[in-house]
Amino acid sequence: MSQSNTPFDLPPDQPSSRSRRRLLGRLAAGGLVASQGAAAAAGELLRPLEVAPSSRVPGAPVLEHPYGVPSPREAGVVRRSARQWPLPGAASSMTPLADLHGTITPNGLVYERHHGGVPDIDADQHRLAIHGLVRTPKLFTMDDLLRLPAESRIHFLECSGNTGSEWNGPSGLPVQLTHGLLSCCEWTGVRLSTLLEEVGGVSAQSNANGGAWLLAEGADAAAMTRSLPLDRILERALVVYAQNGERLRPENGYPLRLIVPGFEGNTNVKWLRRLKVVDAPLQTREETSKYTSLLANGTARQFVFEMDAKSVITRPSPGHRLTTHGYYAISGIAWSGRGMIRKVEVSTDGGASWRLARLDGAARDRALTRFEADWRWDGAPAEILSRATDSTGYVQPTRAQLVAARGLNSQYHYNAIQQWRVDASGEVRNA
Amino acid sequence: MSQSNTPFDLPPDQPSSRSRRRLLGRLAAGGLVASQGAAAAAGELLRPLEVAPSSRVPGAPVLEHPYGVPSPREAGVVRRSARQWPLPGAASSMTPLADLHGTITPNGLVYERHHGGVPDIDADQHRLAIHGLVRTPKLFTMDDLLRLPAESRIHFLECSGNTGSEWNGPSGLPVQLTHGLLSCCEWTGVRLSTLLEEVGGVSAQSNANGGAWLLAEGADAAAMTRSLPLDRILERALVVYAQNGERLRPENGYPLRLIVPGFEGNTNVKWLRRLKVVDAPLQTREETSKYTSLLANGTARQFVFEMDAKSVITRPSPGHRLTTHGYYAISGIAWSGRGMIRKVEVSTDGGASWRLARLDGAARDRALTRFEADWRWDGAPAEILSRATDSTGYVQPTRAQLVAARGLNSQYHYNAIQQWRVDASGEVRNA
């Protein structure tokens, strides 16, 4: 056989005919994923003692990409839209959750939802105005904001329309297209409370009328605007200029956006150009014609901000295929707009029985939490699902419970338990 | 004046000539960054009541970039090399720390250090072998690894050569080129301890000879190899396939790398193809000809793995310019390969006096910690510097202390306090 050409290592067990047989003899069953490795080809076990094909040629230089890009072999891991939108600037694209791991969404895969397309804004010319019922209205340059005390926090963002495809039952879509209006980043910027101190605080007028509201306006072609209850957001809201360490991406609000942790995505106004303190919500287009939920009795829920606790299994999920029987770690994400995830339960029998999943890492407020549950697939068809409970005690509902409470007219805030079907061939479907 | 064309808002204080005067009258001094906003142009305060230029044209569609890219206006925020390398595949590029925020490094800006270039590896064909002094040597496919229990953790990576430019005094370089062999990501993969259980555990032989070591080998053209003391890394080491949520980038080890939290960067072997349990370090090229530190007395420090506590101010730093006198938040990062950052102190007078910086967010083990200190710049020249203390009580040394202990022959593990000079014009220099 060929000698090892690696530069360092002529190991004591350099395979001779005898040691080769000994090495193969040690290939016994055992461990969680023994079967596949063992089945592959016993001769393969010698591969690590030979030179890797990729070691025989010089690799690519540094700075081939001064700003790096993913492997071309991962070219299928991109944002996608669930449908053709009539106006491509008033549309959405979705995060490929089935291909992601951990809790951070890389900036290139953060979901998009625009109402008037992505504006091209010169950060040097951009200004944030804070005015209305404040003592000293001010305009802030980006440099002004960068000089102020900053804070970084990891939070999820979810469009209130996320998973709306499932109101009428299983859509057949994969998790990217059912749950992919969901991402999670480290956001860096200035606390809203710091900015309100900069303008001398909210003036007394605002207190006479049941508490102040904050109008946030974007500099996009939709002049996207939302009214937000100041008391409820003041403690947590950030005006951010960075996501996952670098300046915001254009489609995520460059150079400035509002982050209101736990609130529905559209309230996290992008391309933020002004914050106006007012004494009542302004009933903007985006809180009247959109983002209200019509109930069965004909009334509508308005100003429903918090995204309720929710979870979904991302692996295995539709598009994945179980290749052999045996052990699989079922992996998914859970989140709540009202606090932390306290527990996640997983079922592999359609909800007849549940077991507690492991939560990965320290609990984070209003951020994705990764969960995992051990499963040994015996080859029989299975229904796998997850159920989140948050720190308020709220339990993610079944679809039947959600429809009973809200009816079927509501486009928004669908957070029911999601079930995937694994058939005997190992194929996973949303059915 | 023009009427507001925003769709929602004819505010009670719609500026008339009178209200315009009132608005301008309210523009009083106050707050941390009042001066600049006020000085800019008082008439600008009316801008928020007009339509933003970027609102007058439709924006770009969704999915203009299915995998998103930074704003072209941030095109200068890229990795750079400190010098021309004779072999571009045995070289490094550095993270632009002065332009980053928070603690996460976006994948496109994670520093590079290769010994034989970036190999092109087909993940479907890639195998990880675990062999040597283990009960059941095995080959793992990527699918095998993805089926195993996973864990995600945020850790920094630092090349042991980072900041070597400063051994002989201030280099004049900006922070990207002095400290940019440093990045921090959320890494996802399988615990090393889980994998060793998969191979039936380390066999008894290994205990006879002072503890087992682990040889890690990469599939690159350098067949990069390091020996690691198993007992010291077993609790924390991960074999990872993802960084910041997505699969590893090619230059960061796609499809598989070792993460040894807190250990010098090169031990976090990329393109990982095998782990061999051995009973003593194998004295590979990368632990003899490189990555040992020659001391003044002619002896060398070998197997110095942990990166000691260190910090650096990233804003302001060389290349930034203070435009006006007044308030600035001094911002920087601190880290330790031995645990958490307990405190960071900042000085603005060359180290004559120190004050405690705020630490942003929850303390994380072996991860970047962002710190911040308030500063009011009066226009006089200043020397700004930071000093980290970690959870072991270790205090970041001065350059003089470090040189006294290690001499000037050592290329590696430079972690002294870094000082930037602010001159009267507001320019910041490494001098």
Side-chain angles (χ1 to χ4, degrees):
Chain A
M1 65 164 299
S2 68
Q3 289 294 306
S4 166
N5 289 327
T6 54
F8 69 95
D9 184 16
L10 292 171
D13 59 354
Q14 171 83 2
S16 62
S17 299
R18 198 167 62 93
S19 66
R20 176 196 286 241
R21 281 192 302 274
R22 196 175 65 225
L23 192 63
L24 296 178
R26 285 194 300 209
L27 180 58
L32 297 171
V33 295
S35 53
Q36 190 171 13
E44 278 207 7
L45 253 186
L46 296 173
R47 275 179 46 180
L49 304 179
E50 291 163 5
V51 175
S54 52
S55 292
R56 295 188 183 278
V57 288
V62 295
L63 294 177
E64 184 171 50
H65 302 284
Y67 192 98
V69 297
S71 167
R73 298 180 187 276
E74 301 292 324
V77 182
V78 291
R79 299 183 285 214
R80 289 188 178 82
S81 290
R83 58 187 176 94
Q84 284 285 92
W85 291 78
L87 291 170
S92 67
S93 75
M94 307 173 86
T95 295
L97 299 174
D99 293 304
L100 298 189
H101 308 270
T103 62
I104 297 289
T105 311
N107 289 339
L109 296 174
V110 172
Y111 81 88
E112 302 176 279
R113 175 70 179 104
H114 318 310
H115 296 73
V118 180
D120 175 28
I121 297 176
D122 180 347
D124 291 339
Q125 296 302 314
H126 190 71
R127 298 290 182 276
L128 171 67
I130 305 185
H131 67 130
L133 302 175
V134 300
R135 293 214 173 73
T136 314
K138 274 191 195 170
L139 276 183
F140 295 85
T141 65
M142 290 302 296
D143 276 349
D144 290 338
L145 297 171
L146 284 161
R147 286 170 63 175
L148 288 172
E151 194 165 311
S152 298
R153 279 191 260 122
I154 295 173
H155 290 301
F156 76 85
L157 276 186
E158 184 183 17
C159 178
S160 54
N162 197 28
T163 325
S165 58
E166 310 304 298
W167 274 108
N168 292 295
S171 64
L173 296 171
V175 68
Q176 176 171 16
L177 303 183
T178 58
H179 289 72
L181 294 170
L182 172 72
S183 301
C184 186
C185 296
E186 184 192 56
W187 306 99
T188 302
V190 184
R191 293 177 74 110
L192 175 61
S193 57
T194 300
L195 290 172
L196 291 179
E197 286 166 21
E198 284 296 300
V199 294
V202 171
S203 63
Q205 288 171 261
S206 65
N207 300 318
N209 203 359
W213 286 64
L214 187 71
L215 181 86
E217 183 184 86
D220 57 329
M224 174 74 193
T225 39
R226 285 302 309 261
S227 310
L228 294 159
L230 195 52
D231 285 357
R232 284 166 63 193
I233 71 169
L234 195 57
E235 192 186 336
R236 275 185 298 275
L238 297 173
V239 171
V240 308
Y241 41 76
Q243 64 182 124
N244 293 334
E246 66 188 348
R247 295 299 172 91
L248 293 171
R249 293 292 178 85
E251 67 273 29
N252 273 290
Y254 181 87
L256 202 63
R257 81 178 297 175
L258 189 61
I259 290 289
V260 192
F263 274 31
E264 58 182 19
N266 70 85
T267 64
N268 296 258
V269 173
K270 297 188 282 195
W271 314 296
L272 186 69
R273 69 186 297 254
R274 68 172 171 140
L275 295 169
K276 182 179 184 181
V277 177
V278 291
D279 60 4
L282 286 175
Q283 306 293 348
T284 74
R285 181 186 58 205
E286 312 299 343
E287 52 210 27
T288 49
S289 78
K290 276 194 168 58
Y291 302 120
T292 61
S293 300
L294 183 60
L295 300 178
N297 67 5
T299 65
R301 301 165 78 217
Q302 195 187 16
F303 301 120
V304 176
F305 293 118
E306 281 93 352
M307 301 306 294
D308 285 317
K310 190 166 167 181
S311 69
V312 68
I313 293 169
T314 56
R315 187 178 187 90
S317 69
H320 294 144
R321 192 186 187 89
L322 309 191
T323 49
T324 62
H325 302 176
Y327 177 87
Y328 289 85
I330 291 177
S331 178
I333 44 179
W335 63 100
S336 168
R338 298 183 193 274
M340 313 238 194
I341 289 296
R342 180 187 292 167
K343 69 172 177 182
V344 178
E345 297 154 291
V346 164
S347 171
T348 56
D349 56 12
S353 67
W354 296 88
R355 74 193 93 157
L356 214 52
R358 292 185 294 277
L359 303 185
D360 184 18
R364 291 192 190 118
D365 182 59
R366 295 164 171 85
L368 293 192
T369 295
R370 177 66 57 173
F371 68 85
E372 208 173 67
D374 300 323
W375 182 39
R376 203 165 276 280
W377 183 52
D378 61 7
E383 308 279 352
I384 60 175
L385 50 163
S386 64
R387 177 170 70 187
T389 301
D390 73 13
S391 49
T392 72
Y394 174 94
V395 181
Q396 185 181 5
T398 63
R399 180 178 162 272
Q401 290 169 325
L402 191 66
V403 170
R406 304 261 179 85
L408 285 169
N409 297 324
S410 189
Q411 296 177 52
Y412 303 111
H413 289 268
Y414 182 93
N415 71 321
I417 290 170
Q418 181 69 41
Q419 179 167 302
W420 308 126
R421 182 174 174 77
V422 181
D423 70 20
S425 73
E427 195 185 348
V428 186
R429 287 180 301 131
N430 177 7
Chain B
M1 65 167 297
S2 67
Q3 288 294 307
S4 166
N5 289 328
T6 53
F8 70 94
D9 184 16
L10 292 173
D13 60 354
Q14 171 83 2
S16 62
S17 298
R18 198 167 63 94
S19 66
R20 176 197 286 242
R21 280 192 302 274
R22 196 175 64 225
L23 192 64
L24 296 179
R26 285 194 301 210
L27 179 60
L32 297 172
V33 296
S35 53
Q36 189 170 14
E44 278 208 4
L45 253 186
L46 295 174
R47 275 179 46 179
L49 305 178
E50 292 163 5
V51 175
S54 52
S55 291
R56 296 188 181 277
V57 288
V62 294
L63 294 177
E64 185 171 49
H65 302 285
Y67 192 98
V69 297
S71 167
R73 298 180 187 276
E74 300 292 325
V77 182
V78 291
R79 299 183 284 214
R80 289 188 178 84
S81 291
R83 58 187 176 94
Q84 284 285 93
W85 291 78
L87 292 168
S92 67
S93 74
M94 305 172 89
T95 295
L97 299 175
D99 294 304
L100 297 189
H101 308 271
T103 63
I104 298 289
T105 310
N107 289 339
L109 296 174
V110 172
Y111 80 88
E112 302 176 277
R113 174 70 179 103
H114 319 310
H115 296 73
V118 180
D120 175 28
I121 297 176
D122 180 348
D124 292 339
Q125 296 303 314
H126 190 71
R127 298 290 182 275
L128 171 67
I130 305 185
H131 68 129
L133 302 175
V134 300
R135 294 214 173 71
T136 315
K138 272 190 196 170
L139 276 183
F140 296 85
T141 65
M142 290 302 297
D143 276 349
D144 290 338
L145 297 171
L146 284 160
R147 285 169 65 175
L148 289 172
E151 193 165 313
S152 298
R153 279 190 260 123
I154 296 172
H155 289 301
F156 76 85
L157 276 186
E158 184 183 17
C159 178
S160 54
N162 198 28
T163 325
S165 59
E166 310 304 297
W167 275 107
N168 292 295
S171 65
L173 296 170
V175 68
Q176 176 171 15
L177 302 183
T178 58
H179 288 72
L181 294 171
L182 172 73
S183 301
C184 185
C185 296
E186 184 192 55
W187 306 99
T188 301
V190 184
R191 292 176 75 109
L192 175 62
S193 58
T194 300
L195 290 171
L196 291 179
E197 286 166 21
E198 284 296 300
V199 294
V202 170
S203 63
Q205 289 171 259
S206 65
N207 301 318
N209 202 358
W213 286 65
L214 186 72
L215 181 85
E217 182 184 86
D220 57 328
M224 174 74 193
T225 39
R226 286 302 309 261
S227 310
L228 293 159
L230 195 52
D231 285 356
R232 285 166 62 192
I233 71 170
L234 194 58
E235 192 187 338
R236 275 184 298 274
L238 296 173
V239 171
V240 308
Y241 41 75
Q243 63 181 124
N244 293 333
E246 67 187 347
R247 294 299 172 91
L248 293 171
R249 293 293 179 84
E251 67 273 31
N252 274 291
Y254 181 87
L256 202 63
R257 82 177 296 176
L258 188 61
I259 290 289
V260 192
F263 274 31
E264 57 182 21
N266 69 85
T267 64
N268 297 257
V269 173
K270 297 188 282 196
W271 315 294
L272 186 69
R273 69 187 296 253
R274 67 171 172 140
L275 295 169
K276 181 180 184 181
V277 178
V278 291
D279 60 4
L282 286 175
Q283 307 293 349
T284 74
R285 181 186 58 204
E286 312 299 344
E287 51 211 27
T288 49
S289 79
K290 276 192 168 59
Y291 302 119
T292 61
S293 301
L294 183 59
L295 299 179
N297 67 6
T299 65
R301 300 165 78 218
Q302 195 187 14
F303 302 120
V304 176
F305 293 119
E306 281 93 352
M307 300 306 293
D308 285 316
K310 190 166 167 181
S311 69
V312 67
I313 293 169
T314 56
R315 190 177 185 90
S317 69
H320 294 144
R321 194 187 185 88
L322 310 191
T323 49
T324 61
H325 301 177
Y327 178 86
Y328 289 85
I330 291 176
S331 178
I333 44 179
W335 63 100
S336 168
R338 299 183 193 273
M340 313 237 194
I341 289 297
R342 180 186 291 166
K343 70 173 177 181
V344 178
E345 297 154 290
V346 164
S347 171
T348 56
D349 56 12
S353 66
W354 295 88
R355 75 193 90 159
L356 214 52
R358 291 185 295 277
L359 303 185
D360 184 18
R364 292 192 189 118
D365 181 60
R366 295 164 172 83
L368 294 192
T369 296
R370 177 66 58 174
F371 68 84
E372 208 173 68
D374 301 323
W375 182 39
R376 202 165 277 280
W377 183 51
D378 61 7
E383 308 279 351
I384 60 174
L385 51 163
S386 65
R387 178 171 69 188
T389 301
D390 74 12
S391 48
T392 71
Y394 174 94
V395 181
Q396 185 181 5
T398 62
R399 179 178 161 272
Q401 290 169 328
L402 191 66
V403 170
R406 303 260 178 85
L408 285 168
N409 296 323
S410 188
Q411 295 176 54
Y412 304 111
H413 290 268
Y414 182 93
N415 70 321
I417 291 169
Q418 181 69 42
Q419 177 167 304
W420 308 127
R421 181 175 175 77
V422 181
D423 70 20
S425 72
E427 194 186 349
V428 186
R429 288 179 301 131
N430 177 6

